[in-house]
């Protein structure tokens, strides 16, 4: 792959899961940019989602993985950044499909929703899938057009 850099970010509710994901993807050979946090003080998930999304949108990172309590709020923030397509997943099928059918470039998960083992399997499904293009490409183009 031409860009093997991946950005990770979380809020204070998901530090442990984010760190486990960072170790996992690093062991897979990814260059990890971990935006933290590393201490349990409250950190707003919107700023973490935005920061990670900007790294993906700029091309500095190929993919992003973001985590908060549910995965929902941080995903909503990330999706406000032009060029980002992020989905919340709590199963491997959805993680694979958001890559294959939606060309997602970010994955969001909820640390209070899934455990570490499942989260790592979801990461593997996401990173192991490729965008299929074909009949899905015009639909992804339609999503991109909504950005204005």
């Amino acid at each position: 792959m031409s860009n093997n850099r991946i950005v990770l970010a979380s809020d204070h509710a998901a530090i442990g899961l984010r760190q486990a994901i960072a170790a996992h993807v690093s062991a897979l050979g990814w260059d990890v940019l971990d935006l933290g946090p590393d201490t349990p003080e409250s950190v707003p998930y919107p700023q973490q989602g935005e920061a990670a999304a900007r790294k993906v949108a700029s091309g500095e990172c190929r993919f992003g993985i973001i985590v908060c309590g549910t995965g929902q709020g941080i995903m909503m923030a990330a999706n406000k950044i032009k060029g980002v397509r992020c989905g919340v997943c709590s199963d491997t099928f959805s993680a694979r499909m958001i890559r294959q059918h939606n060309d997602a470039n970010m994955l969001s998960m909820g640390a209070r929703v899934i455990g570490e083992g499942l989260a790592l399997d979801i990461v593997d499904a996401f990173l192991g899938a490729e965008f299929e293009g074909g009949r899905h490409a015009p639909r992804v183009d339609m999503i991109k057009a909504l950005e204005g």
Side-chain angles (χ1 to χ4, degrees):
M1 74 188 75
S2 61
N3 179 356
N4 75 331
R5 195 158 204 218
I6 190 166
V7 61
L8 275 66
S10 73
D11 68 357
H12 54 282
I15 294 171
L17 183 56
R18 189 199 75 248
Q19 290 172 336
I21 293 167
H24 181 73
V25 296
S26 180
L28 294 174
W30 288 87
D31 176 19
V32 176
L33 173 60
D34 189 340
L35 301 181
D38 295 317
T39 60
E41 289 79 32
S42 181
V43 175
Y45 59 80
Q47 80 180 27
Q48 293 298 96
E50 175 193 5
R54 291 199 184 282
K55 298 291 185 185
V56 173
S58 73
E60 183 178 339
C61 295
R62 181 174 178 196
F63 294 121
I65 300 174
I66 51 179
V67 194
C68 69
T70 64
Q72 299 291 344
I74 200 166
M75 175 272 301
M76 290 178 190
N79 275 325
K80 296 294 183 182
I81 305 305
K82 185 176 182 173
V84 169
R85 288 172 308 286
C86 183
V88 176
C89 295
S90 55
D91 63 271
T92 56
F93 178 78
S94 295
R96 194 169 43 258
M97 289 299 104
I98 66 170
R99 284 287 307 124
Q100 290 178 344
H101 291 191
N102 309 117
D103 198 18
N105 49 17
M106 291 188 73
L107 168 67
S108 182
M109 293 180 286
R112 295 178 179 150
V113 178
I114 59 173
E116 182 179 313
L118 178 55
L120 299 182
D121 286 347
I122 290 168
V123 167
D124 289 345
F126 179 81
L127 295 177
E130 293 290 332
F131 180 51
E132 292 178 352
R135 66 186 171 97
H136 305 290
R139 297 171 188 151
V140 172
D141 289 342
M142 292 170 88
I143 293 170
K144 291 176 184 176
L146 295 172
E147 296 175 336

